[in-house]
Amino acid sequence: MANAAGASSIQQVDVAVVGAGFAGLYLLYRLRRAGFSAVALEAADDVGGTWYWNRYPGARCDIATTDYSYSFDPELEAAWEWSEKYATQPEILAYLGFVAERYDLRRDIRFSTPVTAARWDEGEERWHLSTGNGDPVSCRFYVMATGCLSAPKPPEIAGSEVFRGDVYVTGRWPREGAALQGRRVAVIGTGSSAIQAIPLIAEQAAHLTVFQRTPNFALPAHNGPPLPERAARLAADRAGFREEARWSMGGVPLPPATEFSWQLTDGERRERFEKAWAAGDLIVALTQLWADAGVDADGNALVAELIREKIRTVVKDPATAEALCPYDHPFGAKRPCLDTGYYATYNRPNVDLVDLRRDPIKAITASGVETANGSYDVDVIVFATGFDAMTGAVLALHPIAGRGGIALSDAWAGGPQTYLGLTVAGFPNLFLVTGPGSPSVLSNMAVSIEQHVDWIVDRLVALREAGFATIEATQTAQAGWMRHLQDCSAMTLHRLANTWYTGANVPGKPRGVMPYTGGVGPYRSICNEVAGRDMLGFRLS
Ligand code: FAD
């Protein structure tokens, strides 16, 4: 967009959005319909976000596709049919491409355009964005649809750069795939992505060595066609099903169990557990067993031991089975994973597990991985080391300067501070989609994204109608929200796990439970109440 003299011009819009994943696409759709001029700036060269970047073998959703879909347009829902209960990455990417096509969204997206800095201009009351490609942007409102799990965490292992073989990162898997066939492969990490990828890598590799720091709880996915009973409920009353999801605890319409573990006999608990195990559904396992599973250590320990029992049944070598059993965190305090042949993969003759708690990695060498007790020569290293979650993409490579030039990284030096997970005091006209302090990663994110986008766009419309140019959370409201966040998280077991929910997976990152643990439905009603009470906690001008 250079002008005739070759100098760049400034793109002027009402709203600039960063990101073109689930959130960015729906934002563009709503903003356009509400009559705002908008642009989305996306680092990738196409839409999809998470589902663009995560092309590793076995990448799938772990919330059933009946639930993990947009619900804003019944005609869109009728026009798309999922082939599986848990769709693969290519199918979800195709879905998001279909959505972009259907509503002609790509024309407002600037691809291959990372936002490199953002600055609030107090005189103009506008945000100024620098980009790594093309014209800078000036906008009245700035919306971060940058994703909670979009900034892969660099491996903190010495020597990664000296390795002579091929290196892959699950969250940045190459479009053309990876050469794994018949090769010696190391996978470092055993989180959700690794648990999905390991069975498929093991099928291709001559030998696979898995390096595990922390075992995770994984439940069988029992993938197959879309869940018949949920599909039937959807078909019978689509609007009712979606509305129930919006007011549920996790964004999936399943009323939580009300009996406590101590009100059930051993037999009754086992029966419930076996039913949940057979369901192959994380939300069922997290909400349908007994009411104290997520909030009381004793109630939780019962679930954890039943899962460990299952691991020991599947994995034949007792030492490997024991190494795969999680003891260091309560079930659900870390996002549990879905298993499609994961535990059984350790019965293959070409797969070994290295337990890094007993035998830590010393360094990556030119030929492989060196641990305290041995060395492993490999041709390929796959880093499945996770993400700098929730705050990573907002802060990474992206200095954001608010009122008085204050940097967001300074405002958040002690951990992310937000009002409702949507806004930050001192940063007028800035919105975060599924930001820290909202249910986000503790929910079906399709539901949480739609709720945030609707709330943001509805507020922008209301501001325009009332003649206001700026909106900013007050420090008092933000402090109150942070207090409420802490009170809610103190009632859960999340604080007892070193996880990406709490920032513990990134060295030096401040610790705290980042998502709102009070539930999707209660959170929605708070957001609605704030709006209904004349934007309680916001300063408008
Ligand atoms: P993203 O999809 O992460 O998109 C953010 C986009 O912003 C990216 O494309 C990125 O390139 C872009 N971006 C970031 N910073 C910049 C910048 N500075 N400049 C320009 N562009 C930028 N959630 C569920 O609810 N259910 C699931 O089953 C599920 N499965 C998942 C599986 C995997 C492997 C992963 C990683 C996540 C999964 N999630 C799941 C969470 C998932 O991230 C969300 O469901 C959803 O896709 C997030 O959409 P989003 O648009 O908010 O962010």
Side-chain angles (χ1 to χ4, degrees), residues 1-22:
M1 277 183 242
N3 62 23
S8 67
S9 52
I10 298 174
Q11 185 179 10
Q12 305 276 349
V13 285
D14 296 327
V15 188
V17 172
V18 196
F22 251 101

Side-chain angles (χ1 to χ4, degrees), residues 18-25 41-44 46 48-54 56 59-64 68 86 96 113-116 142 144-150 172 192-193 196 335 387 393-394 396-398 433-434 440-441 443-446 449:
V18 196
F22 251 101
L25 292 177
L41 303 157
E42 169 56 63
D46 202 355
T50 291
W51 304 104
Y52 172 96
W53 295 110
N54 289 269
Y56 59 84
R60 288 175 187 278
C61 57
D62 57 14
I63 298 282
Y68 188 57
Y86 299 113
L96 293 171
T113 305
V115 177
T116 50
Y142 183 36
M144 307 293 292
T146 41
C148 293
L149 298 169
S150 57
R172 288 290 179 272
S192 294
S193 300
Q196 290 183 332
R335 191 176 174 103
F387 298 91
V394 178
L397 299 174
H398 186 178
V433 179
T434 63
S440 60
V441 290
S443 67
N444 168 8
M445 291 196 64
I449 286 170

Side-chain angles (χ1 to χ4, degrees), residues 57 163-169 173-174 177-188 201 204-211 364-369 376-383:
F163 178 61
R164 279 200 305 261
D166 296 334
V167 173
Y168 298 100
V169 176
W173 204 258
L180 304 171
Q181 195 68 40
R183 304 180 81 194
R184 296 164 304 168
V185 181
V187 171
I188 300 183
I201 295 178
Q204 295 180 49
H207 193 89
L208 168 63
T209 312
V210 178
F211 294 86
I364 307 284
T365 63
S367 60
V369 182
Y376 300 84
D377 287 349
V378 292
D379 307 306
V380 179
I381 299 180
V382 174
F383 286 106

